[in-house]
Amino acid sequence: MAWPRRRWLWFVYVPLAIVLLLIVVLLVVIATFNWNRLKPVIDEHVSQAIGRPFVIQGELSVTWARERHAGGLAAWVPWPMLEARDVTMANPDWAKQPRFAELDAVRFQLAPLPLLWRHIEIPTLYLVHPRIDLERDAQGRTTWDLKLATSTQPSTWTLDLHAIGFDRGHIALDDALDRMQLQVAVEPLQRAIAYDQIVAEQSSDAREQAGKTVGADARKMLASEANDNRYTLRGTRAVYQFAWQAEGSYQGAPIHGQGKTGGVLALQQNDQPFPVQADVHAGDNHIALVGTLTDPLHLAALDIRLWFSGTSMAKLYPLTGITLPDTPPYATEGHLTAQLKTGDSHYAYDHFRGRVGGSDLAGDLAFATGGPRPKLTGDVTSQLLQFTDLAPLIGGGSNAQKQQRGDVTTQPVDKVLPVEPFRTDRWRAMDADITLHAARITRDAQLPIDAVSTRVVMDNGVLQLDPLAFDLAGGKVNGKLRLDGSKSPMQGTIRLGARHLKLKQLFPGFEAMRTSLGEINGDAALDAYGNSVSALLGSSSGEVKLLMNDGAISKTLLETAGLNVGNIIIGKLFGDKTVKINCAASDLTASHGLFQTRLFVFDTEDAVINVDGTVNFANEQLDLDVRPHSKGVRVLSLRSPLYVKGTLKNPDVGVQPGPLILRGGSAVALAVVAPVAALLPLVVASKGDPDNTCATVLQQMRVPPKTQPAPAIATPRPATRH
């Protein structure tokens, strides 16, 4: 019985001993193995996989240690720690620099048990002192676009990389396409800094910068939003461990910036946010951000507070690719989230607040790169929109202001209409669909526009504002604007209708208007072509009609409104006194920029004033005759006809030679103006008030119009200047 038992023990223990011996031998071999022998094999396989040379120039070593943070059996099995020193990756042949990346070492720990199931699990990949060279040439080729080897058969191995850790490093960027050169240095902080501290510091610094750029009101407004729950970043226990500095240039303008980051970037764990912070000046643009990133592979959990400020929003186009209008100095603050996918990325700038010049803005914007062109959508509101802040939209403003916002077209000193061209090439770079609502617009304290609303749509270079609606002086201005920037020259159309604009509200500071019951009604329909406001008006064709009843006018009022020509004419006719107007009616036709008066008459208590002639917006030349006709025994300051020559910028108003207009001339004047029927609907628009003086005046003018030859440029007449 003993022998069978010993035989049984022999068959059990001997194989077990052999297995243990083999394990020991294997461990000894692994522990003493010269891993450098594998470098050529690794170099070759990696080089083939990435499509460019990869070399481990230093030592390749493996150490073993138990991972105490692992659970179960994995905590008892030794984990290998692999380290490759002096690692390089080459650049493509066309690059300026020979190497894409250099690292003092690459180090990572490998989970052994998952290898049995062909699963490579790396908790953290450490990059020791990385130096990265990023280049893009004028043809758009990039050094970071790796041509990974493809296989017809799917791999049976899977890779699970949890996080990336790094220490001090350096990144160089040379982008010939966007003319950008940048050097970024990363260094460890002497001590870790709490996330909440950096958020508070960056918020304060960005708001101070907004105050310097736009004014103290911008800083106060942005700071007042700080306690709103919508603007509170999600808290985290993560800390900042590294600081970075950046220096370089972008399209000739200097760039400098700084910021801080965390030490380990978790790639998959949503409960391990990576803190980021940046404060960058690019030319006179300032961009700052602070927040966390918890899913860097998709940026789906990006929680960032973002600030923009600068001299003009249009200058953000090279940095962001988003077409924005020319503006006065601006500053905004909002919450940015993003989801990045190849060819279909989405950005959301939520709950932003800001100042543009003296105007406030707020709203939500979204930017998507999918589709035939990127598209910007959203809603923007304003409680107070300054009229002067809209001037850059049409190329207005002084040459100094234009230079500050980066416009290179100088406004000629003898021109009134803006000559700065619209940037229609940018219109074709993206689409847009944005609604704008402004509660109040002010030209100055005495000429308010109560509200404005419009929908701005840009589609393949065609810009439309439809509808375009103003609440002005108790009335309404409705219309639409279309500019087709896809054509050269740009094609434009505008349709406007003004109804029931109350004179006492339109000119609240003018004493003579305060008791007036009069209104202004009008229509405009113009078609044009050209790439600037000057070119559009200089080519416009269509008609403009305007009717005003029961109003008043004076030299001082026209000076305040900035109407230089009218100011001079009224001064010569009536002096400085205020003149009551029973009715003012104008009907202008336009052909290729030449505006001809079909009817232009002022009916006052003392006289009827007829204006006849042309205004040529192509060259801004004036050619008008002003003929006063005294009523009864009333005496005008000047009863001789006037001529208006010169330009819009420098009008020349003088007295025409010849005899004085005799009493009764008004009847003659009424007989030669034509036709008035087109203006009668504007009287109806005044609610059919039987006391509307324009109704009576226009009925008196309803005589058959005389045939007029095509308008011609009048030859200069000798004149006596007063």
Side-chain angles (χ1 to χ4, degrees):
M1 295 296 296
W3 172 247
R5 182 177 181 181
R6 285 196 299 269
R7 181 180 295 178
W8 180 80
L9 292 175
W10 174 267
F11 283 110
V12 172
Y13 287 109
V14 169
L16 181 60
I18 293 174
V19 171
L20 293 175
L21 179 60
L22 291 175
I23 293 175
V24 171
V25 171
L26 179 61
L27 294 175
V28 171
V29 171
I30 292 176
T32 60
F33 181 74
N34 185 2
W35 294 93
N36 290 310
R37 296 179 180 178
L38 296 180
K39 289 196 302 181
V41 178
I42 296 175
D43 292 347
E44 181 182 359
H45 281 77
V46 175
S47 298
Q48 290 178 353
I50 63 176
R52 63 180 67 171
F54 173 91
V55 180
I56 301 174
Q57 300 181 128
E59 293 290 326
L60 178 61
S61 62
V62 177
T63 58
W64 298 81
R66 290 169 54 192
E67 177 54 59
R68 300 184 181 277
H69 297 290
L73 181 60
W76 294 94
V77 177
W79 288 39
M81 173 69 75
L82 289 83
E83 182 179 72
R85 304 192 64 84
D86 194 5
V87 178
T88 65
M89 181 189 300
N91 260 328
D93 295 337
W94 56 263
K96 297 178 182 178
Q97 301 299 324
R99 292 177 178 175
F100 172 74
E102 297 179 79
L103 300 97
D104 285 358
V106 176
R107 185 184 306 123
F108 60 91
Q109 197 175 31
L110 189 63
L113 293 182
L115 294 174
L116 300 175
W117 295 273
R118 297 178 178 270
H119 182 70
I120 302 173
E121 182 178 350
I122 302 175
T124 305
L125 175 67
Y126 292 96
L127 308 177
V128 181
H129 194 193
R131 284 89 68 198
I132 309 296
D133 175 73
L134 305 175
E135 296 183 37
R136 179 164 64 170
D137 66 4
Q139 288 74 43
R141 295 177 297 181
T142 62
T143 60
W144 58 86
D145 185 11
L146 301 178
K147 296 181 179 179
L148 301 179
T150 59
S151 175
T152 57
Q153 298 295 329
S155 175
T156 58
W157 289 83
T158 58
L159 174 64
D160 187 4
L161 176 59
H162 293 188
I164 296 177
F166 53 89
D167 65 357
R168 64 188 181 92
H170 185 271
I171 300 173
L173 172 63
D174 186 350
D175 189 342
L177 196 62
D178 284 339
R179 295 169 46 217
M180 182 176 185
Q181 291 79 39
L182 201 61
Q183 301 288 331
V184 182
V186 181
E187 295 288 343
L189 294 168
Q190 294 183 352
R191 62 176 182 84
I193 303 178
Y195 171 79
D196 292 341
Q197 178 181 339
I198 296 297
V199 170
E201 291 176 355
Q202 182 59 74
S203 299
S204 177
D205 292 346
R207 290 162 187 161
E208 285 294 330
Q209 180 63 43
K212 295 177 182 178
T213 303
V214 186
D217 289 342
R219 178 181 57 80
K220 293 178 181 178
M221 187 197 71
L222 296 182
S224 67
E225 307 292 347
N227 296 325
D228 194 320
N229 290 333
R230 293 178 299 172
Y231 310 107
T232 303
L233 292 171
R234 183 172 59 244
T236 177
R237 291 176 296 176
V239 296
Y240 291 89
Q241 296 179 322
F242 288 88
W244 58 266
Q245 298 278 343
E247 294 288 342
S249 64
Y250 182 74
Q251 298 190 354
I255 294 179
H256 61 91
Q258 59 185 2
K260 298 175 180 66
T261 70
V264 176
L265 177 60
L267 300 180
Q268 301 181 36
Q269 292 81 355
N270 292 332
D271 59 346
Q272 296 183 25
F274 182 73
V276 294
Q277 180 257 330
D279 194 298
V280 179
H281 291 263
D284 54 12
N285 292 306
H286 176 241
I287 303 174
L289 60 89
V290 63
T292 59
L293 175 62
T294 53
D295 190 356
L297 295 180
H298 305 94
L299 293 185
L302 186 65
D303 187 23
I304 285 180
R305 197 82 190 135
L306 181 62
W307 293 266
F308 292 106
S309 63
T311 56
S312 174
M313 286 187 176
K315 291 186 176 182
L316 288 173
Y317 175 77
L319 298 172
T320 64
I322 300 176
T323 302
L324 296 172
D326 286 300
T327 68
Y330 71 95
T332 68
E333 175 178 348
H335 179 209
L336 178 70
T337 58
Q339 292 182 334
L340 296 184
K341 298 179 181 179
T342 303
D344 188 21
S345 296
H346 295 266
Y347 304 83
Y349 193 38
D350 297 324
H351 311 309
F352 79 87
R353 294 289 186 274
R355 299 281 294 188
V356 180
S359 308
D360 66 273
L361 290 179
D364 301 282
L365 294 173
F367 186 70
T369 61
R373 289 168 302 279
K375 187 172 184 178
L376 181 68
T377 58
D379 298 288
V380 179
T381 61
S382 175
Q383 296 304 312
L384 178 62
L385 196 60
Q386 295 286 355
F387 193 81
T388 54
D389 295 333
L390 302 178
L393 297 178
I394 58 171
S398 67
N399 283 332
Q401 292 171 326
K402 290 158 66 72
Q403 184 178 11
Q404 182 188 39
R405 64 177 186 255
D407 297 328
V408 297
T409 304
T410 301
Q411 180 71 19
V413 295
D414 60 342
K415 293 284 188 180
V416 171
L417 301 176
V419 300
E420 179 187 336
F422 294 100
R423 294 169 175 163
T424 54
D425 56 327
R426 297 185 179 183
W427 297 6
R428 295 188 292 271
M430 58 164 275
D431 295 339
D433 189 348
I434 299 173
T435 58
L436 171 65
H437 300 278
R440 186 165 178 256
I441 297 182
T442 60
R443 178 179 183 271
D444 53 41
Q446 297 180 339
L447 187 58
I449 299 175
D450 298 325
V452 62
S453 63
T454 186
R455 181 185 179 189
V456 181
V457 176
M458 189 158 59
D459 184 12
N460 198 20
V462 179
L463 176 64
Q464 297 187 80
L465 277 67
D466 186 10
L468 177 60
F470 296 87
D471 291 341
L472 172 61
K476 296 283 188 180
V477 178
N478 293 299
K480 57 184 178 180
L481 172 67
R482 186 178 190 272
L483 299 174
D484 188 350
S486 66
K487 298 179 180 179
S488 183
M490 180 175 68
Q491 307 292 310
T493 61
I494 185 169
R495 303 290 184 266
L496 288 176
R499 297 293 183 268
H500 311 307
L501 308 188
K502 305 294 188 296
L503 294 178
K504 62 183 178 182
Q505 296 184 37
L506 193 61
F507 305 104
F510 187 39
E511 182 67 31
M513 293 287 198
R514 292 183 178 177
T515 58
S516 171
L517 299 178
E519 294 182 344
I520 290 179
N521 294 276
D523 290 310
L526 296 172
D527 299 311
Y529 57 88
N531 292 334
S532 68
V533 172
S534 176
L536 286 169
L537 282 175
S539 64
S540 56
S541 299
E543 56 184 12
V544 178
K545 300 181 178 67
L546 193 67
L547 199 64
M548 181 183 79
N549 67 283
D550 302 301
I553 198 169
S554 74
K555 177 181 177 182
T556 303
L557 176 64
L558 295 178
E559 283 180 348
T560 303
L563 301 176
N564 295 333
V565 178
N567 162 37
I568 298 173
I569 294 173
I570 294 300
K572 287 185 177 293
L573 290 175
F574 300 103
D576 292 331
K577 72 175 184 178
T578 298
V579 179
K580 186 178 185 303
I581 294 180
N582 300 320
C583 178
S586 66
D587 185 359
L588 309 178
T589 61
S591 177
H592 303 292
L594 186 67
F595 283 68
Q596 172 77 46
T597 60
R598 286 193 299 194
L599 172 67
F600 200 155
V601 61
F602 292 86
D603 185 85
T604 73
E605 291 181 327
D606 297 331
V608 175
I609 313 297
N610 290 113
V611 181
D612 185 42
T614 61
V615 178
N616 192 337
F617 282 102
N619 54 19
E620 301 191 8
Q621 292 290 322
L622 303 171
D623 186 15
L624 298 170
D625 291 326
V626 182
R627 297 182 178 273
H629 307 282
S630 178
K631 291 183 176 180
V633 297
R634 298 179 176 88
V635 179
L636 300 175
S637 298
L638 180 68
R639 291 179 292 164
S640 296
L642 304 177
Y643 68 82
V644 181
K645 297 289 187 179
T647 66
L648 295 176
K649 182 76 171 184
N650 300 300
D652 177 17
V653 180
V655 179
Q656 294 186 9
L660 297 179
I661 301 300
L662 300 178
R663 179 184 171 188
S666 61
V668 176
L670 292 176
V672 299
V673 294
V676 299
L679 291 176
L680 291 177
L682 298 182
V683 178
V684 176
S686 298
K687 301 180 181 178
D689 190 342
D691 296 328
N692 188 325
T693 54
C694 276
T696 303
V697 171
L698 292 177
Q699 288 295 343
Q700 293 173 355
M701 296 180 183
R702 295 194 68 181
V703 296
K706 296 181 179 180
T707 303
Q708 298 291 336
I713 302 299
T715 58
R717 293 185 295 271
T720 301
R721 300 187 182 183
H722 285 194

